Amino acid sequence: MENKNSWNLMKSKEIDAAFAFAEDYKDFLSKAKTERECVDYVVNLIEKEGFRELSTAIAEGTPLKAGDKVYAVQMNKAVVMFTIGRQKLSEGLNILGAHIDSPRLDVKQNPLYEDGGFAYLDTHYYGGVKKYQWVTMPLAIHGVVVKKDGTTIELNIGEDPDDPVFFVSDLLIHLAQEQMEKKAANVIEGEALDIIIGSKPLTLKKKDKDKEKNKEEDGAAREAVKAGVLAILKETYGFEEEDFLSAELEIVPAGPARDAGFDRSMILGYGHDDRVCAYPSLRAMLNVREPERTACCILVDKEEIGSVGATGMRSHFFDNALAEVMALTGEDSARLVRRALTNSFMLSSDVSSAYDPTYAASFDKKNVAVLGGGMVFNKFTGSRGKSGSNDANAEYLAALRRVLDDNKVNFQTAELGRVDLGGGGTIAYILALYGMNVIDSGIAVLNMHAPWEAISKADLYETLRGYEAFLKDMA
């Protein structure tokens, strides 16, 4: 079987729609580089579309009926949305589930230090990264600092053209003979991924100089560059060194998502994995107005490190929210919640590796996604002998084929690389534990897990159409 190129299937009007949708997506990708920013973006958008917070409906005891729209947020890092359908929820939901965390560098809790005339922030990389890709590029700091009194300071430094940026240094080529002999995994060590945030010593007034001199005479060494940075943090952003203890700061590539290629057919940006699936999932939820089966969209955290913690898919955040929703529709029973989960259909909306001719030997060319080939389905993921995989059954695939073909959605199937080479996982197997039908589906990504990844605008648009068809027609 040969993949069809979506661009060749689109009419002029559809190409215009694909490019227009890509502009909306680029705005999201550029503004929502962390889980918290994603949730803020989503909540602001869905509230304008009539979604109400689930906690409000619970407090008021408001019954939910067909057409009602509610959402719940978990610790500002995960969100779930429901559009109530005409069928009872116990008959099952149509669920889109994606993750909104991406590989990055996290700032440690005791991060600030000075060495060799530079001030640094100590970091710990998050998710699967090639460490050498993160050096010598402009970086931004996103996140929150929460003070002891509960005050939250939001930081987004490095995105505005007038902002400073930050960086990880690398050894000049002239002195790198020994470094170049190392394996790629060790060229840059994890502990070397500390970002440079300053080099200018604090300038003291005369009376302050006298105090500092006395301190030095008492044996207290003074770190003038670090002190200069701390003075800026206090004056400009309102926090002190101790406040790093209760901060969540993420280091991400600085700059907006950009069109790629002379034909502008691609988007180069940070965080396509997995926001390129999260955004069309969100928009599909907004576009499907009166579904037969209840439509649901889950956007979760921590997938890149195993879906752990209170905001990951392994938590009970989703099924707890579902139980509350079902109670408000009159199905207040743990047995009915379990029945609803078992009867549900889900697309685990995650990315797949795109074929790269430069590294052709890493792929099975007959079973790999290509940029422009449309929405991607991975029947299974896992590694080698399908270890750690959800493996969707044939009946479910047949039903999905019918829905997509009826809606003229271009799609392709793929595996994640050559059989014995590697592999990966998604949230699919976690939802499958409820006994529901689940399959991985999403968009092919080039440079996956690199600071800058690439996708096709045609695939983005076809995936939106596929998600809409799934929410509307899957039964």
Side-chain angles (χ1 to χ4, degrees):
M1 291 181 288
E2 193 171 325
N3 288 335
K4 299 176 182 177
N5 191 296
S6 296
W7 294 115
N8 294 331
L9 301 174
M10 289 181 180
K11 297 178 181 177
S12 177
K13 186 176 180 181
E14 292 170 320
I15 292 175
D16 290 343
F19 273 81
F21 183 60
E23 290 304 305
D24 294 339
Y25 170 62
K26 284 193 299 180
D27 179 72
F28 168 74
L29 195 63
S30 300
K31 291 178 179 177
K33 290 189 175 183
T34 70
E35 311 90 294
R36 290 174 182 270
E37 290 170 348
C38 283
V39 169
D40 286 346
Y41 191 106
V42 168
V43 170
N44 288 336
L45 182 59
I46 64 178
E47 286 189 341
K48 292 176 184 176
E49 296 290 331
F51 278 79
R52 298 177 62 231
E53 195 160 8
L54 178 59
S55 60
T56 302
I58 294 170
E60 296 174 352
T62 307
L64 296 177
K65 60 185 184 306
D68 286 345
K69 297 176 284 190
V70 292
Y71 75 92
V73 170
Q74 176 75 346
M75 297 181 179
N76 298 317
K77 296 180 186 177
V79 59
V80 59
M81 296 155 264
F82 301 89
T83 299
I84 309 302
R86 288 184 285 272
Q87 288 184 4
K88 291 182 177 180
L89 274 80
S90 56
E91 296 181 37
L93 299 79
N94 289 348
I95 304 169
L96 298 172
H99 67 91
I100 50 177
D101 61 316
S102 297
R104 60 179 188 258
L105 307 180
D106 283 344
V107 174
K108 293 183 181 181
Q109 258 47 67
N110 185 22
L112 183 58
Y113 69 97
E114 180 178 333
D115 191 9
F118 295 105
Y120 292 88
L121 286 181
D122 197 359
T123 73
H124 191 133
Y125 64 89
Y126 173 97
V129 302
K130 292 180 176 179
K131 297 185 286 291
Y132 65 80
Q133 293 179 330
W134 286 80
V135 301
T136 71
M137 65 183 303
L139 300 170
I141 300 175
H142 292 234
V144 297
V145 179
V146 184
K147 305 185 76 169
K148 285 191 295 184
D149 64 2
T151 303
T152 298
I153 301 166
E154 296 186 4
L155 296 184
N156 184 330
I157 310 167
E159 302 295 350
D160 189 281
D162 291 331
D163 284 348
V165 293
F166 314 94
F167 65 98
V168 178
S169 63
D170 193 12
L171 186 62
L172 64 161
I173 186 64
H174 309 75
L175 302 178
Q177 291 89 337
E178 293 178 354
Q179 182 194 45
M180 299 294 282
E181 294 296 322
K182 294 181 179 181
K183 291 183 178 180
N186 300 319
V187 168
I188 302 294
E189 300 287 348
E191 288 293 353
L193 288 174
D194 294 351
I195 64 169
I196 293 176
I197 60 171
S199 66
K200 182 176 177 290
L202 179 67
T203 302
L204 296 174
K205 296 178 182 177
K206 186 177 185 306
K207 62 178 182 178
D208 294 325
K209 285 182 179 178
D210 292 338
K211 291 179 182 178
E212 290 300 319
K213 184 178 179 182
N214 292 334
K215 284 182 182 179
E216 290 173 3
E217 289 173 352
D218 290 339
R222 185 165 193 295
E223 298 176 308
V225 178
K226 175 182 173 181
V229 168
L230 283 171
I232 292 169
L233 294 180
K234 185 173 183 179
E235 179 181 350
T236 307
Y237 304 105
F239 70 95
E240 302 183 30
E241 184 173 11
E242 292 77 10
D243 295 319
F244 279 113
L245 291 171
S246 50
E248 288 182 352
L249 299 176
E250 301 178 12
I251 309 302
V252 298
R258 301 282 298 273
D259 284 349
F262 282 115
D263 53 11
R264 297 181 179 269
S265 61
M266 297 170 287
I267 299 172
L268 191 69
Y270 165 70
H272 284 311
D273 181 7
D274 185 34
R275 296 177 192 120
V276 75
C277 295
Y279 188 70
S281 296
L282 164 67
R283 288 289 297 271
M285 276 291 293
L286 299 180
N287 292 346
V288 175
R289 300 288 179 177
E290 298 178 356
E292 185 67 24
R293 287 162 61 93
T294 292
C296 175
C297 177
I298 315 166
L299 304 179
V300 293
D301 182 23
K302 298 293 189 291
E303 190 275 344
E304 296 293 358
I305 59 170
S307 297
V308 294
T311 55
M313 196 68 245
R314 290 192 190 185
S315 76
H316 292 288
F317 160 61
F318 165 59
D319 38 323
N320 288 346
L322 175 61
E324 297 286 2
V325 169
M326 291 185 68
L328 292 174
T329 63
E331 296 188 281
D332 191 1
S333 160
R335 175 175 53 85
L336 292 177
V337 172
R338 291 196 297 272
R339 184 181 299 174
L341 290 165
T342 301
N343 289 337
S344 292
F345 299 115
M346 182 188 178
L347 297 184
S348 172
S349 305
D350 210 335
V351 298
S352 188
S353 57
Y355 177 68
D356 188 340
T358 306
Y359 305 100
S362 296
F363 303 94
D364 170 8
K365 199 171 181 179
K366 303 184 301 300
N367 291 282
V368 64
V370 297
L371 250 62
M375 183 180 181
V376 183
F377 284 92
N378 289 75
K379 185 177 186 294
F380 51 86
T381 52
S383 59
R384 296 169 180 85
K386 300 187 182 181
S387 176
S389 172
N390 167 66
D391 198 343
N393 65 41
E395 291 83 355
Y396 187 37
L397 276 162
L400 287 168
R401 286 176 58 201
R402 184 195 71 247
V403 168
L404 296 174
D405 286 346
D406 287 350
N407 286 274
K408 296 182 171 54
V409 176
N410 189 36
F411 67 94
Q412 55 186 321
T413 61
E415 293 185 15
L416 195 62
R418 212 174 67 223
V419 171
D420 285 332
L421 188 61
T426 68
I427 65 172
Y429 76 97
I430 301 168
L431 277 298
L433 294 173
Y434 295 117
M436 71 174 71
N437 276 294
V438 184
I439 190 170
D440 286 298
S441 75
I443 294 172
V445 173
L446 204 64
N447 312 338
M448 190 192 298
H449 277 218
W452 295 96
E453 302 167 313
I455 61 103
S456 166
K457 293 180 180 179
D459 295 338
L460 178 69
Y461 184 63
E462 287 300 300
T463 302
L464 170 68
R465 296 182 60 243
Y467 289 169
E468 289 177 355
F470 168 79
L471 292 179
K472 178 171 58 76
D473 294 342
M474 190 66 197

